[in-house]
Amino acid sequence: MANEPSRITDNLLNIFNYSFVETVPYAFFKPNPERDIAVRLIDKEYHCPGCGKVTHVVYQQRPLTYFSKGKLAQQRRIYDKLGKHFPTMGEIEAGTPFTNEAIGYCRSCAEKGLLQDETPAQRVCNLSQELHAEDELVVAKAKAAMEEALKKWLAGVESAEEFLQYGLGDFNAVRDLICAVMLQNTEPVAKVLADYAQKAASIKAEIEKLLDGLPDKWKAYAARSTGVYESMNDKMYHEYTVIFPQAGMIPEDYYIYRAIEKSRVRMFLEQPRIETLEELLTEVGFHGEWIDLVNQRLQELVQNA
């Protein structure tokens, strides 16, 4: 339960994004005026064709972002579909603020249609999204179970004097106490892991079966979070081309019609997942708010003494 950075879940997230969200690889990049166009990119808009909802995302400020000509041409087509004025090259060169536009179904509209689609091409994307959610939730559920065990133990402490036997004089002592309490009963966390393993295996098996009948590449709707980075080059990303949303925004999923590659889906399926209790506890790590729970309980006991 050391407070180490997540490894397995971070890798799963990176591979999922590589397969379904931002598929261009990182590569060395030096802007070339004949190939790359400097744009003052400030924000992005997601447009849902189902209900008309528009989600606005403000980007982190940077002087210029380099678009590939292919990516800029793609933007022109989206602008035309939306009936918006696409800036002239003169306006772009003059530094006119530019909005990155996207068309895709919001989560609410997707639930009414896309997520019910049983065709193999779309079903693979939907199931992969479910598997990704399970990969993320197993750590959150384990953390909640561990926190509940700590709360129950703290509720059973009836006086401030009981804490004295633990010598809680520094951070390490409090952390060791919390870890010991949580490790007294790991059955709830083990149950979380067992449920996850069963669900993940079932989803992976269904995806594999569907993949056998699909070509190497196809098109389908895949969820894209409004909170992820994006490259303005259609073949690579680098510090010159990548742009990030401002921190603090609440992410939403929009389902974008895009190319899907079988090899990348299989890469996501074959990525190592959490298999043991030790791995799961390591992924959860140690959280500072658990110390706050101990301090809050101690203060309650002191006040009620």
Side-chain angles (χ1 to χ4, degrees), residues 9 20 24 65 77 93 106 156-157 160 185-186 193 198 200-201 215 235 251 259 269 275 277 297 304:
T9 48
F20 298 98
V24 294
T65 304
R77 292 191 291 271
E93 291 171 357
C106 68
V157 178
N185 179 14
T186 58
L193 179 59
Q198 183 178 15
K235 291 183 171 56
L269 295 181
E275 295 182 349
L277 186 60
R297 179 57 177 160
N304 295 332

Side-chain angles (χ1 to χ4, degrees), residues 8-283:
I8 298 174
T9 48
D10 278 357
N11 288 338
L12 285 168
L13 175 60
N14 290 336
I15 296 299
F16 178 80
N17 285 340
Y18 181 62
S19 302
F20 298 98
V21 182
E22 186 58 76
T23 62
V24 294
Y26 179 89
F28 177 77
F29 177 82
K30 185 176 181 180
N32 182 338
E34 296 180 358
R35 180 193 61 201
D36 310 299
I37 300 167
V39 174
R40 188 186 166 203
L41 183 60
I42 60 168
D43 57 7
K44 181 168 185 174
E45 289 180 343
Y46 291 83
H47 300 259
C48 177
C51 64
K53 177 181 177 179
V54 178
T55 297
H56 182 236
V57 177
V58 178
Y59 285 137
Q60 295 179 21
Q61 292 186 9
R62 60 180 305 168
L64 294 171
T65 304
Y66 285 85
F67 276 68
S68 64
K69 288 186 177 180
K71 194 78 168 185
L72 203 59
Q74 182 187 68
Q75 277 294 293
R76 182 187 291 275
R77 292 191 291 271
I78 296 176
Y79 267 71
D80 288 344
K81 287 181 180 179
L82 295 172
K84 295 186 65 174
H85 164 71
F86 189 80
T88 65
M89 288 307 301
E91 290 173 327
I92 290 175
E93 291 171 357
T96 301
F98 187 87
T99 297
N100 184 19
E101 299 288 358
I103 298 174
Y105 289 94
C106 68
R107 177 76 186 186
S108 178
C109 288
E111 288 177 345
K112 299 172 184 176
L114 293 176
L115 299 185
Q116 311 302 321
D117 192 334
E118 295 294 330
T119 60
Q122 187 60 48
R123 181 69 175 156
V124 164
C125 291
N126 295 346
L127 287 170
S128 297
Q129 180 73 18
E130 286 183 31
L131 181 56
H132 171 58
E134 293 297 332
D135 293 335
E136 297 284 311
L137 284 172
V138 65
V139 176
K141 289 178 179 179
K143 179 188 173 187
M146 294 160 68
E147 193 167 297
E148 184 62 25
L150 176 62
K151 289 179 178 178
K152 287 182 178 179
W153 183 84
L154 288 172
V157 178
E158 298 180 347
S159 69
E161 287 72 21
E162 288 186 46
F163 280 110
L164 296 177
Q165 63 181 303
Y166 302 110
L168 305 181
D170 57 30
F171 169 84
N172 290 334
V174 179
R175 182 194 60 193
D176 291 347
L177 170 64
I178 292 172
C179 292
V181 169
M182 290 179 170
L183 292 175
Q184 284 178 0
N185 179 14
T186 58
E187 287 185 11
V189 181
K191 176 68 164 55
V192 168
L193 179 59
D195 290 345
Y196 163 68
Q198 183 178 15
K199 290 179 182 177
S202 175
I203 295 172
K204 286 171 64 178
E206 186 174 352
I207 294 174
E208 285 285 6
K209 186 176 180 181
L210 292 170
L211 283 176
D212 289 339
L214 287 170
D216 290 340
K217 293 183 180 180
W218 71 92
K219 284 197 169 184
Y221 286 91
R224 180 184 183 87
S225 171
T226 58
V228 301
Y229 69 87
E230 184 172 2
S231 176
M232 295 302 111
N233 188 297
D234 48 2
K235 291 183 171 56
M236 68 184 81
Y237 80 89
H238 189 269
E239 60 181 293
Y240 295 109
T241 71
V242 72
I243 195 84
F244 293 86
Q246 281 189 354
M249 64 164 293
I250 300 175
E252 299 178 57
D253 281 344
Y254 273 79
Y255 289 75
I256 311 294
Y257 195 60
R258 52 165 308 138
I260 306 295
E261 296 182 24
K262 181 186 290 188
S263 62
R264 298 194 184 196
V265 177
R266 284 220 159 97
M267 186 188 306
F268 173 61
L269 295 181
E270 294 166 1
Q271 185 70 16
R273 286 176 161 77
I274 298 170
E275 295 182 349
T276 67
L277 186 60
E278 182 180 359
E279 287 176 341
L280 183 51
L281 293 175
T282 299
E283 290 292 308

